[in-house]
């Protein structure tokens, strides 16, 4: 019997790559996100591997999350790669608190609500996987909000792994990965900054969406992994 997996933030980048990989294995995949147009484009992009179900929902809104899980029904795994960081990478004097709250909503409150309302829908041996990031370990000027929220998300996962057991709760922490979100971080300098980082990393390259998708799949499948943070950063924490 094939599994049913919900991917929040699956309309682009790492989430979309994960959806393709799981569908190729025969899994039933549901993609959720805020933008109906992006969800339609994602469904079109995945048409060659099968039909994907899409649901428009804002995971920072509890009523949306309740509606999302009512529509999904029973699930085997929940994954969230959602992140709204637009406007959040600023030095403190220029930081818009509204932009900071969007990061908190998408990367902390949203995952908390997914766990609250999703856990009752999960199979006993199911899992929840969140996505944090290297900013929690290698913070930089302009990145205080993202660093703080990534760290908080990992602490949340530790606590949920205890509270929701035997459901497993884990986190993937990507390093610098070439996905569309980098345009929000670095704008026109994105390519140059990625190339510079590739030269610094022990692996000699920037991450790809498939690298992170592989890590999420590992955490979903490994029944002995819970309360874990899987670092997929090319050795960034070491340099």
């Amino acid at each position: 019997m094939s599994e049913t997996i919900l991917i929040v933030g699956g309309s682009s980048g790492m989430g979309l790559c994960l959806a393709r990989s799981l569908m190729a294995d025969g899994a039933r995949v549901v993609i959720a996100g805020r933008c109906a147009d992006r969800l339609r484009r994602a469904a079109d992009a995945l048409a060659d591997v099968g039909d994907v179900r899409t649901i428009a929902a804002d995971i920072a809104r509890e009523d949306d999350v309740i509606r999302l899980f009512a529509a999904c029904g029973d699930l085997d795994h929940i994954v969230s790669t959602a992140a709204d960081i637009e406007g959040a990478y600023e030095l403190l004097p220029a930081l818009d608190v509204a932009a900071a709250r969007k990061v908190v909503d998408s990367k902390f409150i949203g995952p908390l609500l997914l766990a609250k309302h999703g856990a009752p829908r999960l199979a006993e041996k199911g899992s929840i996987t969140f996505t944090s990031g290297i900013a929690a370990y290698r913070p930089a000027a302009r990145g205080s909000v993202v660093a703080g929220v990534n760290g908080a998300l990992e602490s949340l996962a530790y606590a949920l792994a205890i509270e929701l057991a035997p459901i497993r709760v884990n986190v993937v922490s990507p390093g610098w990965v070439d996905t569309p979100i980098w345009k929000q971080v670095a704008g026109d300098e994105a390519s140059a900054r990625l190339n510079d980082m590739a030269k610094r990393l022990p692996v000699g390259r920037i991450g790809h969406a498939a690298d992170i998708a592989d890590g999420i799949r590992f955490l979903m499948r490994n029944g002995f992994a819970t309360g874990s943070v899987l670092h997929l950063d090319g050795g960034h924490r070491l340099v």
Side-chain angles (χ1 to χ4, degrees):
M1 184 176 180
S2 64
E3 295 178 311
T4 302
I5 300 156
L6 170 65
I7 305 174
V8 179
S11 61
S12 66
M14 295 177 286
L16 183 63
C17 184
L18 176 64
R20 171 174 290 278
S21 175
L22 292 169
M23 290 171 65
D25 284 348
R28 292 186 294 268
V29 173
V30 182
I31 291 177
R34 292 179 303 167
C35 179
D37 286 341
R38 289 180 65 182
L39 290 171
R40 280 194 290 271
R41 290 196 295 270
D44 290 342
L46 295 169
D48 62 315
V49 288
D51 294 328
V52 63
R53 188 177 180 192
T54 61
I55 301 175
D58 182 349
I59 61 169
R61 298 175 56 88
E62 189 161 19
D63 54 347
D64 269 24
V65 176
I66 293 170
R67 177 177 55 80
L68 170 63
F69 285 112
C72 285
D74 293 338
L75 294 165
D76 294 285
H77 303 282
I78 297 168
V79 177
S80 180
T81 63
D84 185 352
I85 64 169
E86 187 173 3
Y89 274 92
E90 293 287 351
L91 295 174
L92 287 178
L95 180 63
D96 183 348
V97 174
R101 287 195 173 111
K102 288 181 180 179
V103 182
V104 175
D105 280 347
S106 64
K107 295 206 71 174
F108 187 86
I109 298 300
L112 179 66
L113 292 174
L114 290 174
K116 177 181 178 180
H117 296 287
R121 301 279 185 174
L122 280 171
E124 183 178 358
K125 296 185 181 299
S127 74
I128 302 173
T129 307
F130 300 133
T131 310
S132 63
I134 188 64
Y137 300 89
R138 283 291 182 267
R142 299 175 64 242
S144 57
V145 173
V146 175
V149 174
N150 281 344
L153 177 61
E154 294 179 3
S155 292
L156 173 67
Y158 300 151
L160 291 176
I162 298 298
E163 181 171 344
L164 299 180
I167 292 169
R168 297 178 298 104
V169 184
N170 295 292
V171 180
V172 167
S173 176
W176 288 32
V177 180
D178 190 3
T179 62
I181 202 169
W182 256 96
K183 290 295 291 183
Q184 295 181 24
V185 176
D188 293 339
E189 298 178 358
S191 294
R193 291 185 61 186
L194 288 171
N195 288 335
D196 288 344
M197 178 56 70
K199 297 173 185 176
R200 287 179 51 194
L201 293 178
V203 296
R205 67 172 177 86
I206 291 300
H208 305 303
D211 297 320
I212 312 308
D214 285 347
I216 295 172
R217 286 170 59 98
F218 166 78
L219 291 174
M220 287 171 50
R221 305 298 184 212
N222 191 314
F224 203 54
T226 194
S228 298
V229 177
L230 178 60
H231 296 278
L232 298 173
D233 57 22
H236 192 164
R237 286 170 300 124
L238 309 177
V239 297

